[in-house]
């Protein structure tokens, strides 16, 4: 049976590219919001869901973090790191020198500001709700428009790519996580994502909590604080550590952590993404 | 002499609202990007600059963090916390029941999704490059359009606000920081913002670094990791702690921290924002 994979639509976005990178055989089902992608799995409409969690330029996707913290019991069981390659595309009958309008999502326009200033100083940027919608607008307009979008959108709409990787910062990657009913089984290179909070904001409580990892030589890969929704001064701490929660050392650390915090939630254990890996 | 204050333009955005909240007497000078706001101060075009650093829903403004980490020697000397109140506005001669189009920045449209579904289920959302541009488009179109923008934009363009605070999550605030040539002098309730990194990613190094604060009962207000631009696995750690860097305990902690890390940069010490405080 073909696996059904929910993702953040519409088709032609980086989320769809990530879904294909993860599993090119899956049946992809688009949903309009991050909660809807996850609920599709919870409700049995799809088998797995993929959501963006972090971009190297824009930072964390806090909608995903907040959903993991308080709204779902699904596990992270995989991650995918997608290089973000903004492409400039036109209709096949448009001439580059005629381009006067550039459609894209404001975030993509901002990420390509220097390229546009250098190469299209007179063109007017026009905002779209998504990169995919930008290509749609461009294809429906005259022959003086271009759009900035992922390669996948060009394939879908029959646009012609005239330049790839036009973002000003070259190291632009987005990390996506796969959500399902259980963790990945242990491999030789895993990560565990978790979050915890303290009832009271005492000096040293975070320090002591991190001690459960340090004393066991467990490396922390990421740490972040997110204000809880109750009050501005209170935080959830999100930590990625090396290892699988079925490893003895990690299990011990989590047991020790539980005695120090007011809440602890493990989002899941999964293999670290490697450039050459896929599914 | 009137103080000149650079901010992230255009006029009619939340950044301008924050600048006015900080100092309603200053001469406000808009710049198109966060680096340009800061360079205006460095180059002597303005006396101070104000930039967004964190939103309670969207997370950190990583452009500001990265600029503070590696691009500027300016100090944070103040902070301003602005409640984000998305307002729905129309032309004075538009009737609410005629609205078929809603202009705004995609982020604001997303933050008001539920309100729009409940109250304008048939209206088409149209993306703008900024909330201010959205009001401009709306004022120049027929009488079937509305825009989502800050109150300030309604004042500037002569639009009529028909509903305030329409964002789905009510606790929506943005923290801005003021940048200038030196810290604020110590008060009774200060914060110090800093960042540090390690030459090697050893287990326990973050734990040991936080120990310099914990052992002195210095509370941490925020912690975050940002990948360095050199390599994906290496991090800068950004910490806000309580106290001023001229306080003895904080000074001691920073001296101790310096011996443990490969780089340490203090962004500045400044009074914690209080609801009733202004400038």
């Amino acid at each position: 049976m073909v696996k059904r994979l929910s993702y953040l639509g519409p088709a032609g976005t980086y989320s769809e590219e990530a879904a294909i990178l993860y599993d090119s055989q899956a049946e992809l089902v688009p949903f309009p919001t991050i909660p809807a992608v996850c609920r599709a799995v919870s409700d049995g409409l799809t088998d797995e869901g993929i959501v963006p969690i972090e971009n190297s330029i824009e930072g964390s996707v806090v909608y995903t973090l907040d959903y993991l913290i308080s709204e779902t019991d699904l596990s992270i069981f995989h991650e995918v790191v997608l290089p973000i390659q903004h492409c400039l595309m036109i209709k096949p009958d448009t001439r580059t020198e005629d381009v006067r309008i550039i459609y894209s999502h404001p975030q993509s326009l901002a990420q390509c500001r220097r390229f546009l200033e250098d190469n299209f100083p007179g063109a007017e940027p026009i905002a779209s709700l998504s990169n995919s919608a930008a290509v749609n607008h461009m294809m429906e307009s005259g022959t003086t428009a271009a759009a900035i979008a992922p390669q996948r959108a060009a394939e879908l709409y029959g646009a012609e790519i005239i330049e790839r990787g036009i973002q000003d910062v070259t190291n632009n990657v987005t990390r996506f996580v796969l959500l399902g009913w259980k963790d990945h089984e242990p491999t030789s290179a895993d990560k565990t994502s978790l979050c915890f909070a303290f009832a009271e904001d005492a000096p040293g409580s975070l320090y002591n909590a991190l001690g459960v990892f340090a004393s066991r030589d467990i490396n922390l890969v990421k740490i972040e604080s997110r204000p809880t929704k109750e009050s501005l001064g209170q935080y959830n701490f999100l930590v990625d550590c090396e290892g699988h929660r079925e490893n003895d050392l990690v299990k011990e650390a989590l047991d020790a952590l539980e005695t120090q915090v007011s809440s602890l939630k493990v989002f899941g254990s999964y293999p670290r993404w490697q450039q050459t890996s896929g599914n």
Side-chain angles (χ1 to χ4, degrees), chain A:
Chain A
M1 231 180 71
V2 175
K3 186 200 296 172
R4 288 170 63 84
L5 177 59
S6 46
Y7 73 100
L8 187 63
T13 58
Y14 291 105
S15 286
E16 196 200 14
E17 280 197 350
I20 293 168
L21 179 60
Y22 164 65
D23 185 350
S24 60
Q25 305 300 311
E27 180 189 342
L28 302 185
V29 191
F31 286 84
T33 64
I34 286 167
V37 171
C38 303
R39 275 197 303 265
V41 184
S42 302
D43 296 348
L45 298 175
T46 57
D47 303 300
E48 301 171 352
I50 185 167
V51 289
I53 194 164
E54 168 180 34
N55 173 268
S56 56
I57 296 179
E58 305 288 340
S60 287
V61 180
V62 296
Y63 290 91
T64 298
L65 298 185
D66 289 348
Y67 197 79
L68 287 168
I69 291 169
S70 57
E71 302 283 338
T72 185
D73 289 323
L74 296 174
S75 280
I76 300 177
F77 69 91
H78 225 297
E79 68 175 358
V80 171
V81 177
L82 180 78
I84 299 298
Q85 285 274 38
H86 290 317
C87 300
L88 188 71
M89 53 193 76
I90 53 177
K91 281 201 282 200
D93 52 347
T94 295
R95 295 183 313 171
T96 308
E97 58 269 33
D98 291 339
V99 169
R100 298 286 174 274
I101 289 174
I102 316 251
Y103 290 105
S104 198
H105 188 280
Q107 202 174 57
S108 306
L109 289 167
Q111 290 184 357
C112 302
R113 173 188 293 268
R114 230 169 300 149
F115 172 86
L116 294 177
E117 282 172 0
D118 291 348
N119 296 280
F120 297 89
E124 183 192 4
I126 297 191
S128 301
L129 287 178
S130 71
N131 288 321
S132 176
V135 183
N136 194 11
H137 287 151
M138 180 272 286
M139 293 300 287
E140 286 179 353
S141 67
T143 56
T144 59
I148 296 172
Q151 170 177 326
R152 176 73 187 148
E155 293 164 8
L156 280 178
Y157 290 99
E160 183 187 321
I161 294 177
I162 52 175
E163 187 103 29
R164 285 165 203 274
I166 62 169
Q167 62 276 0
D168 299 332
V169 176
T170 48
N171 179 21
N172 186 352
V173 299
T174 297
R175 192 164 71 91
F176 292 79
V177 290
L178 274 294
L179 296 171
W181 290 105
K182 55 182 204 292
D183 289 5
H184 197 285
E185 62 206 27
T187 72
S188 60
D190 293 318
K191 256 161 81 172
T192 297
S193 295
L194 56 128
C195 106
F196 54 86
F198 303 99
E200 279 179 31
D201 191 23
S205 42
L206 175 63
Y207 171 70
N208 292 330
L210 298 186
V212 308
F213 299 100
S215 63
R216 291 170 182 85
D217 272 354
I218 299 172
N219 201 15
L220 299 185
V221 185
K222 199 190 156 179
I223 182 165
E224 186 166 357
S225 55
R226 278 287 297 155
T228 62
K229 278 168 187 164
E230 291 81 50
S231 120
L232 248 187
Q234 282 215 308
Y235 289 92
N236 283 301
F237 294 96
L238 294 111
V239 164
D240 287 357
C241 71
E242 285 184 349
H244 195 288
R245 65 169 143 176
E246 290 181 18
N247 300 155
D248 287 343
L249 271 182
V250 176
K251 205 185 292 181
E252 264 183 46
L254 294 177
D255 287 345
L257 183 60
E258 191 141 37
T259 65
Q260 294 191 20
V261 298
S262 63
S263 71
L264 169 63
K265 184 172 178 182
V266 179
F267 298 149
S269 294
Y270 48 96
R272 296 188 76 153
W273 178 255
Q274 277 149 1
Q275 216 79 39
T276 54
S277 80
N279 192 43

